[in-house]
Short mmCIF file of all heavy atoms in Angstrom, two decimals:
data_model
loop_
_atom_site.label_atom_id
_atom_site.label_comp_id
_atom_site.label_asym_id
_atom_site.label_seq_id
_atom_site.Cartn_x
_atom_site.Cartn_y
_atom_site.Cartn_z
N SER C 1483 22.68 78.72 -47.37
CA SER C 1483 22.82 78.49 -48.81
C SER C 1483 21.76 79.24 -49.61
O SER C 1483 20.76 79.72 -49.06
CB SER C 1483 22.72 76.99 -49.11
OG SER C 1483 21.39 76.54 -48.87
N ILE C 1484 21.97 79.30 -50.90
CA ILE C 1484 21.02 79.95 -51.80
C ILE C 1484 19.71 79.17 -51.85
O ILE C 1484 18.63 79.75 -52.02
CB ILE C 1484 21.62 80.06 -53.21
CG1 ILE C 1484 22.89 80.91 -53.19
CG2 ILE C 1484 20.62 80.63 -54.20
CD1 ILE C 1484 23.63 80.99 -54.51
N ALA C 1485 19.81 77.85 -51.67
CA ALA C 1485 18.62 77.00 -51.75
C ALA C 1485 17.57 77.36 -50.70
O ALA C 1485 16.38 77.07 -50.88
CB ALA C 1485 19.02 75.54 -51.58
N ALA C 1486 17.99 77.99 -49.61
CA ALA C 1486 17.06 78.36 -48.54
C ALA C 1486 16.11 79.47 -48.97
O ALA C 1486 15.04 79.65 -48.36
CB ALA C 1486 17.82 78.78 -47.29
N GLU C 1487 16.49 80.24 -49.99
CA GLU C 1487 15.64 81.33 -50.51
C GLU C 1487 15.21 82.29 -49.40
O GLU C 1487 14.03 82.60 -49.24
CB GLU C 1487 14.41 80.76 -51.22
CG GLU C 1487 14.76 79.90 -52.43
CD GLU C 1487 13.53 79.30 -53.10
OE1 GLU C 1487 12.46 79.27 -52.45
OE2 GLU C 1487 13.65 78.85 -54.25
N GLN C 1488 16.20 82.72 -48.61
CA GLN C 1488 16.03 83.71 -47.55
C GLN C 1488 15.22 83.20 -46.35
O GLN C 1488 14.75 83.99 -45.53
CB GLN C 1488 15.38 84.98 -48.10
CG GLN C 1488 16.24 85.68 -49.16
CD GLN C 1488 15.61 86.96 -49.67
OE1 GLN C 1488 14.39 87.13 -49.65
NE2 GLN C 1488 16.45 87.88 -50.12
N ARG C 1489 15.06 81.90 -46.25
CA ARG C 1489 14.41 81.35 -45.05
C ARG C 1489 15.34 81.50 -43.86
O ARG C 1489 16.57 81.40 -44.01
CB ARG C 1489 14.07 79.88 -45.25
CG ARG C 1489 12.94 79.59 -46.22
CD ARG C 1489 12.75 78.08 -46.35
NE ARG C 1489 11.64 77.71 -47.21
CZ ARG C 1489 11.71 77.58 -48.52
NH1 ARG C 1489 12.88 77.83 -49.16
NH2 ARG C 1489 10.64 77.23 -49.22
N VAL C 1490 14.78 81.69 -42.69
CA VAL C 1490 15.59 81.72 -41.47
C VAL C 1490 15.45 80.40 -40.70
O VAL C 1490 16.27 80.09 -39.82
CB VAL C 1490 15.20 82.91 -40.57
CG1 VAL C 1490 15.64 84.22 -41.20
CG2 VAL C 1490 13.70 82.92 -40.28
N VAL C 1491 14.43 79.67 -41.02
CA VAL C 1491 14.22 78.32 -40.46
C VAL C 1491 13.57 77.48 -41.55
O VAL C 1491 12.96 78.02 -42.49
CB VAL C 1491 13.31 78.34 -39.20
CG1 VAL C 1491 13.98 79.06 -38.04
CG2 VAL C 1491 11.95 78.94 -39.51
N PRO C 1492 13.65 76.13 -41.47
CA PRO C 1492 12.95 75.29 -42.44
C PRO C 1492 11.44 75.48 -42.33
O PRO C 1492 10.93 75.85 -41.27
CB PRO C 1492 13.36 73.87 -42.05
CG PRO C 1492 14.62 74.03 -41.28
CD PRO C 1492 14.49 75.33 -40.55
N ASP C 1493 10.73 75.20 -43.38
CA ASP C 1493 9.27 75.34 -43.36
C ASP C 1493 8.60 74.42 -42.35
O ASP C 1493 7.49 74.70 -41.89
CB ASP C 1493 8.70 75.06 -44.77
CG ASP C 1493 9.07 76.14 -45.77
OD1 ASP C 1493 9.50 77.23 -45.34
OD2 ASP C 1493 8.93 75.89 -46.99
N SER C 1494 9.28 73.32 -41.98
CA SER C 1494 8.69 72.39 -41.01
C SER C 1494 8.62 72.97 -39.61
O SER C 1494 7.98 72.39 -38.72
CB SER C 1494 9.49 71.07 -40.98
OG SER C 1494 10.85 71.31 -40.68
#
Side-chain angles (χ1 to χ4, degrees):
S1483 69
I1484 299 175
E1487 298 178 343
Q1488 297 182 334
R1489 289 178 177 86
V1490 290
V1491 294
D1493 290 345
S1494 57

